[in-house]
Amino acid sequence: MVGNIKKGGTVKNPNIKEKINIISSVGDKTSANNTISNYYIFKYLIPELNKILNNKFKIITFGKGNFRFDLNNFTIAKKYHFDKGFVKNYTKEFKKNHILLLCQNSLSTKKKFIFKNQSWDYHLVHARIFDAFNNGICIVAFSENTKSMPELKNNYNCLTGSSAKELSNCVKRIYTNIKLRKKLIINGKETLAKFYDNKKNLNNIAKIIAS
């Protein structure tokens, strides 16, 4: 179950006139999701963003704790990183940003293990896509993420890339293309109604239990 879906599909201020704020981490920074995603972002993606959006972006992180890797190893990344830590009004702070980056499946996704004659891979999911869709935040995701989160559709409700260079270009497209940003936000709202309506999902669960 997720939170309440906000009504209305209007997009406020689709034009980004200031630096683009990019969320890379929400929640406990020591979690597997945040560790893998942010290691990739800090090591590979931020240097690419630095090339095409020099000084025009910020990487925002929320949540308690510290990453399992040493940020001091990423000299360029430190310049753009702003840690908000724990915030009292999460929704208010989250809405101030423009993009949510999802790179959890950027590493080790080809590895598999066998358990009870079934093959499992290491693809991870991230519930924060609900927050992005619900608050008008665009999603840029590593392409492997769509395998574990099929509701993410490239060029419909998000942009995806299979390399740091492709992902940085996705960010630039959102930064410079007002129509594209508006489309992604509106379609994100439509995705919420289809996949994340609590009432519909509870009814479906009830039907399964009753059958």
Side-chain angles (χ1 to χ4, degrees):
M1 294 298 103
V2 293
N4 294 323
I5 298 175
K6 297 177 181 179
K7 296 182 179 180
T10 58
V11 179
K12 296 181 179 179
N13 300 323
N15 188 20
I16 304 174
K17 296 181 180 179
E18 68 276 15
K19 290 184 179 181
I20 189 166
N21 291 341
I22 306 168
I23 302 171
S24 72
S25 179
V26 176
D28 190 345
K29 295 186 184 70
T30 63
S31 69
N33 263 334
N34 283 328
T35 297
I36 296 172
S37 186
N38 282 274
Y39 181 84
Y40 182 86
I41 291 167
F42 278 78
K43 183 175 177 63
Y44 301 107
L45 182 52
I46 292 179
E48 290 295 329
L49 288 171
N50 181 57
K51 293 177 185 177
I52 64 172
L53 288 175
N54 184 29
N55 239 12
K56 294 181 180 178
F57 71 97
K58 298 178 182 178
I59 298 295
I60 309 296
T61 55
F62 293 101
K64 67 177 183 179
N66 298 305
F67 294 117
R68 297 183 186 184
F69 52 86
D70 189 355
L71 288 175
N72 291 319
N73 292 330
F74 308 108
T75 306
I76 296 176
K78 286 176 62 179
K79 173 183 175 182
Y80 298 105
H81 177 226
F82 296 85
D83 182 33
K84 299 287 186 178
F86 175 81
V87 292
K88 292 183 178 180
N89 193 331
Y90 164 71
T91 300
K92 181 181 178 181
E93 293 299 321
F94 189 89
K95 288 169 62 177
K96 293 179 181 179
N97 304 286
H98 307 106
I99 290 177
L100 173 65
L101 274 176
L102 301 176
C103 296
Q104 298 86 352
N105 296 306
S106 56
L107 305 170
S108 302
T109 52
K110 293 183 180 180
K111 295 182 179 180
K112 296 183 179 182
F113 66 95
I114 306 298
F115 179 72
K116 293 185 177 180
N117 296 322
Q118 292 186 330
S119 179
W120 300 76
D121 63 26
Y122 292 110
H123 283 79
L124 303 170
V125 299
H126 205 312
R128 297 298 179 179
I129 63 174
F130 171 86
D131 294 339
F133 287 153
N134 208 25
N135 290 288
I137 306 297
C138 294
I139 292 176
V140 171
F142 196 82
S143 55
E144 287 286 325
N145 280 42
T146 61
K147 293 181 179 179
S148 56
M149 294 178 279
E151 60 271 38
L152 291 177
K153 302 293 184 183
N154 184 38
N155 210 37
Y156 174 72
N157 56 23
C158 69
L159 294 182
T160 66
S162 59
S163 68
K165 186 174 182 178
E166 288 183 8
L167 290 169
S168 64
N169 285 327
C170 290
V171 171
K172 184 178 180 180
R173 287 176 62 196
I174 291 173
Y175 182 64
T176 57
N177 192 327
I178 299 172
K179 289 183 179 179
L180 173 62
R181 183 172 178 233
K182 186 175 181 179
K183 182 185 80 169
L184 296 177
I185 293 172
I186 291 175
N187 290 341
K189 286 280 188 179
E190 292 182 358
T191 303
L192 281 182
K194 183 176 182 180
F195 292 102
Y196 294 95
D197 186 290
N198 282 341
K199 186 175 180 179
K200 290 180 181 178
N201 290 335
L202 285 171
N203 286 337
N204 290 335
I205 293 172
K207 290 177 182 178
I208 294 172
I209 295 173
S211 62

